[in-house]
Amino acid sequence: MRWLIFLSLITALNRPAWSSPTEETPAAGLTERGLVSQISTQLNAVKGKAGDQAAGMVEQAMGLLGVPYRRGGNNESTGFDCSGFVRHLYEKSVGQILPRRAVDQARATEVIDREELKPGDLVFFNTMRRAFSHVGVYVGDGKFIHAPRAGKAVNVEDMRSAYWQKRFNGARRVPVNGDNPKHENSN
């Protein structure tokens, strides 16, 4: 079943008539930048390392690539900001409702070491001169998916780039089935 979803995602991304809220066709942009093959590679890696729930979440997140950034946005029809994207993704994929703001998402989740990251975990960054001002979802292989900033769209980036390494604030795991989160503020 998961492969059918994956194949339909790849088919949709390769279809030239695919509509989008942005001016350029996302499929064309994704194909030109080689992101379709990256997505395929990333999903295969996730399936090998993560459970079905995490793989399903990453598949759903990849389906939101190209949705434009919108401050305060929390749905795919109008756009997302970073925490709205994460909240939407968790609610739609696993039925878990997270707090609205990135800093509150950090407080409500379990602190983990960077080395413990698994697909579906949250990664936080200091992008506005304050801790936990940006959040994304780890997808594996040092990469995360997020809604970056005004003028951009949901995309996948490498946490190992100098920009993201310098701003990394910590990793968190969303407690499952009523697990109690640790309320520490740093790694």
Side-chain angles (χ1 to χ4, degrees):
M1 179 67 177
R2 297 245 183 254
W3 279 106
L4 288 175
I5 294 169
F6 173 70
L7 288 174
S8 51
L9 171 64
I10 295 301
T11 302
L13 289 173
N14 282 319
R15 190 178 324 132
W18 193 50
S19 63
S20 164
T22 60
E23 288 182 13
E24 84 170 6
T25 313
L30 293 175
T31 302
E32 288 170 12
R33 294 187 309 254
L35 289 180
V36 171
S37 62
Q38 287 179 14
I39 292 167
S40 175
T41 302
Q42 203 63 48
L43 286 175
N44 286 333
V46 169
K47 288 172 196 253
K49 295 178 186 176
D52 287 342
Q53 193 174 40
M57 180 184 301
V58 171
E59 283 180 32
Q60 187 160 0
M62 295 295 183
L64 297 170
L65 285 169
V67 173
Y69 178 92
R70 184 176 137 241
R71 185 171 184 217
N74 57 13
N75 67 64
E76 60 189 291
S77 62
T78 59
F80 294 109
D81 65 10
C82 66
S83 58
F85 171 72
V86 169
R87 186 171 201 235
H88 173 86
L89 187 59
Y90 264 85
E91 184 176 0
K92 296 298 180 187
S93 63
V94 296
Q96 186 133 1
I97 298 176
L98 297 177
R100 179 60 182 93
R101 297 176 345 138
V103 68
D104 296 328
Q105 290 174 354
R107 289 181 186 134
T109 51
E110 178 184 342
V111 176
I112 60 172
D113 289 330
R114 188 176 189 152
E115 296 76 33
E116 295 175 53
L117 276 169
K118 294 180 183 176
D121 288 338
L122 304 182
V123 288
F124 291 89
F125 304 91
N126 177 343
T127 59
M128 301 176 78
R129 298 182 187 190
R130 67 177 186 271
F132 309 112
S133 56
H134 189 72
V135 62
V137 176
Y138 187 72
V139 295
D141 193 30
K143 295 180 176 61
F144 71 105
I145 188 167
H146 67 136
R149 66 179 188 272
K152 298 289 183 179
V154 172
N155 67 24
V156 176
E157 295 202 44
D158 196 318
M159 291 175 47
R160 297 166 293 199
S161 76
Y163 179 87
W164 293 113
Q165 276 191 9
K166 180 179 177 183
R167 289 163 177 81
F168 183 74
N169 264 140
R172 302 288 191 271
R173 184 160 294 146
V174 176
V176 180
N177 299 330
D179 291 347
N180 291 324
K182 297 175 191 171
H183 292 287
E184 300 172 31
N185 287 328
S186 65
N187 279 338

